[in-house]
Amino acid sequence: MFKKILVANRGEIACRVFRTAKRMGIKTVAVYSDADARAPHVLMADEAVRLGPAPAAESYLKAELILLAAKETGADCIHPGYGFLSERESFARACAEAGIAFVGPPPAAIAAMGDKIESKKLAKQAGVNVVPGYLGEIADTDEAVRIAGEIGYPVMMKASAGGGGKGMRLAWSEQDVREGFDATKREGLASFGDDRVFIEKFIESPRHIEIQVLGDQHGTIVYLNERECSVQRRHQKVVEEAPSPFVTPKMRAAMGEQAVALARAVGYYSAGTVELIVSGSDTTGDSFYFLEMNTRLQVEHPVTEEITGLDLVEQMIRVAYGEPLAFGQDDVGINGWSIENRVYAEDPYRGFLPSIGRLVRYHPPRSGDDLPRTRVDDGVAEGGEVSMFYDPMIAKLITWAPTREAAIDAQIAALDAFEIEGPGTNIDFLSALMQHPRFREGRLTTGFIAEEYPDGFHGAPASAGLVRELAAIAAFAATAHADRARRIEGQLGHRLQPPADWVVRIDGGDHAVHVSPDAISVDGAPLEIGIEYTPGDRLIEAELADEARLAVRIAPTRTGFRLTTRGASHVARVLPARVAPYVQHLLEKVPPDLSKFLIAPMPGLLVRLDVAVGDKVEAGQPLAVVEAMKMENILRAEKSATVKTLNAAAGDSLAVDQVILELE
């Protein structure tokens, strides 16, 4: 077996590979940029080598530096992780030339599947279903418009070398093609160094289902069931699960056999994923089409591990060493259900804009008495920083249970217990997805998020029962704070007792709450709830009447608390009952009118300004383009107006909430 492995990656996936390598008795080597000098993957490894400055192009994408690090440390194999150099034929070939094993497929297979246009041609030759479209190189926007019209709208424009949701645009009309074709080319060039774009028919009501394949160097190739990855936002996967609630055994066999045929056609070995787009309206299961093959380990591989009992990283290492697979297709089963949610540093309440900054607090949930089987794959630590230079994923939350419903409920409980302070996160949104009736029924398409949240995310709706429980928790916490205050000399005096009666305003309604040493009532009705809270606690775990548990993150505000649970934050104003009637006489502060300003919604680079001083603009007109996390974001006018001043210029680095221009 290999003696020492270098992981040519960072963060979560580097830590993931190191854990398996250490269990196998293999020494580990980390590489890092200046931004990651004290990152968990660096501290976890036996050795670490600096690559260069923070930008990936100057560090993690420098193949020659990674190979030099491997030689200097004596590493006899390199695992590329995902992203960065993982799907570059040149890197796999360079490893072979240097006499270092590449823990992945052969270079020829990477080359064959790495080009989306050529891979579709190969798939068709191998007898795999492919989506109707134009696979030739497209010269300019006019040609793209002509081709899209011939295929028939809607169409999808994709960067040939794209992946991870980058370099993709959906077009419903000629105008969409004209607006998005050049942007797709730029994103492809910026992210992958290739600006070629192809166009294919967009399958309506589509489901995104992928088949995990695994092969050895002795000709054995198996498929490890499927993953459902239909819940996406801007073509970026958000939720993954295995198996799929849509796939039947017959479909699974047909998809798996085609995936194996494609892998065999290109001489594939190691772990890989064949991604399919499936028509959700065709219950026969025959309408599935090849999208692409990812010649690497997928972000969502843990759900496959959970239902099969296999360690895919271990299998990749053993295959790279030349060992045959120790099992065949008939040995691959499905045990239970697993769901993965990607926890991102983004603000769902502000259009999912990227959020960067220091992790002031980071406490992920773990399996235990209060949580079912829960796994967190991460590469961050409290005090670390979510950088603008890399992907904004903080962690992957994976749960397993015997049934799909139980696995979903486990996600909700674990998300409630996830403590992150600093950058904004999508935890509330993920919890809302897990509670959504349509998700729980399994009626999924890749348009699920856009269809169910057309006006953005504003928090998961709370039932009347949950609101009553939160009102009780807020009043109980207020009582604890008042009791602590009376014990501090000079604050309330020695004879005063904390109030027992409170008025809690939450979600627009007032609730009368009575708190006694052994009972709580809300609006005159007793509430069976057990609460433990000490001022300063950040998480309350309440026991409810039906033996269920409710985890609530709590943070003090000026007049009460912010309570976060079940996919939403609730601001509770808590006042003693004798004081509450006087609140109506207080003046409310009117927020300033910011509609005349175009404000940077996230930190990023101002790529382009589309207007000048004096220009008249209409609602919906593009005003500027801001690039963040390698994605271009078009900022549009909210109303008809005239440009008064420009406060920034193309090429400027913008801070969040920085004024770009002013309208009048």
Side-chain angles (χ1 to χ4, degrees), residues 505 573 583-591:
R505 170 161 289 186
R573 189 194 65 193
V583 171
Q584 61 182 314
H585 302 294
L586 298 177
L587 297 177
E588 290 193 20
K589 184 178 179 181
V590 179

Side-chain angles (χ1 to χ4, degrees), residues 299-338:
V299 176
E300 57 271 23
H301 74 274
V303 293
T304 296
E305 294 181 328
E306 292 296 316
I307 67 165
T308 61
L310 296 169
D311 183 328
L312 290 183
V313 172
E314 178 182 349
Q315 294 300 321
M316 292 179 75
I317 293 172
R318 293 191 180 282
V319 166
Y321 191 67
E323 294 184 8
L325 293 182
F327 57 91
Q329 189 63 61
D330 293 340
D331 300 313
V332 179
I334 298 178
N335 176 30
W337 214 286
S338 184

Side-chain angles (χ1 to χ4, degrees), residues 444-507:
L444 307 177
T445 70
T446 54
F448 172 80
I449 290 176
E451 293 160 6
E452 298 299 327
Y453 301 94
D455 301 319
F457 177 69
H458 307 290
S463 66
L466 177 59
V467 172
R468 291 181 73 244
E469 290 159 0
L470 294 178
I473 289 172
F476 186 90
T479 303
H481 279 268
D483 186 58
R484 184 184 66 169
R486 80 177 181 86
R487 296 172 186 273
I488 299 174
E489 181 144 4
Q491 285 206 11
L492 292 180
H494 296 291
R495 300 180 182 179
L496 294 178
Q497 294 297 317
D501 293 297
W502 303 87
V503 172
V504 179
R505 170 161 289 186
I506 184 170
D507 288 7

Side-chain angles (χ1 to χ4, degrees), residues 166-290:
K166 296 182 176 67
M168 300 174 68
R169 287 287 194 286
L170 176 60
W172 294 88
S173 65
E174 177 180 332
Q175 181 182 350
D176 291 343
V177 175
R178 292 194 180 279
E179 282 189 4
F181 182 73
D182 285 339
T184 305
K185 287 174 70 72
R186 285 195 300 270
E187 285 185 5
L189 185 63
S191 296
F192 311 104
D194 187 342
D195 69 351
R196 290 177 301 153
V197 173
F198 69 96
I199 298 178
E200 65 184 12
K201 180 70 176 175
F202 179 69
I203 305 299
E204 298 187 63
S205 299
R207 300 180 79 114
H208 186 118
I209 295 173
E210 57 191 32
I211 301 293
Q212 176 73 61
V213 296
L214 179 67
D216 61 24
Q217 299 186 49
H218 307 278
T220 300
I221 305 175
V222 299
Y223 62 91
L224 306 179
N225 308 311
E226 80 285 349
R227 295 185 287 259
E228 172 94 47
C229 307
S230 296
V231 181
Q232 304 176 5
R233 194 187 65 77
R234 292 182 68 177
H235 314 296
Q236 181 77 43
K237 298 167 188 172
V238 178
V239 183
E240 300 100 353
E241 59 182 306
S244 164
F246 183 73
V247 172
T248 64
K250 179 182 176 183
M251 291 170 62
R252 181 174 299 119
M255 292 175 176
E257 287 165 6
Q258 285 199 14
V260 168
L262 177 61
R264 197 175 301 282
V266 295
Y268 199 91
Y269 56 79
S270 192
T273 297
V274 176
E275 301 202 351
L276 306 168
I277 189 166
V278 183
S279 174
S281 59
D282 185 358
T283 55
T284 67
D286 295 333
S287 300
F288 63 87
Y289 307 97
F290 172 77

Side-chain angles (χ1 to χ4, degrees), residues 134-181:
Y134 183 82
L135 301 181
E137 192 167 341
I138 301 170
D140 53 30
T141 301
D142 289 337
E143 186 179 3
V145 168
R146 178 182 60 79
I147 291 168
E150 292 173 354
I151 295 172
Y153 293 101
V155 298
M156 182 69 80
M157 298 176 289
K158 295 183 179 180
S160 179
K166 296 182 176 67
M168 300 174 68
R169 287 287 194 286
L170 176 60
W172 294 88
S173 65
E174 177 180 332
Q175 181 182 350
D176 291 343
V177 175
R178 292 194 180 279
E179 282 189 4
F181 182 73

Side-chain angles (χ1 to χ4, degrees), residues 504-527:
V504 179
R505 170 161 289 186
I506 184 170
D507 288 7
D510 289 344
H511 300 272
V513 184
H514 178 79
V515 179
S516 68
D518 49 12
I520 297 177
S521 66
V522 180
D523 298 327
L527 184 69

Side-chain angles (χ1 to χ4, degrees), residues 21 52 87 124 154 214 236 266 295 309 343 358 400 447 492 517 535 597 633 639 661:
E87 293 181 280
K124 194 170 184 178
L214 179 67
Q236 181 77 43
V266 295
T295 55
V343 179
R358 191 164 301 284
W400 177 93
L492 292 180
F597 298 108
N633 303 272
K639 60 183 180 181
L661 58 83

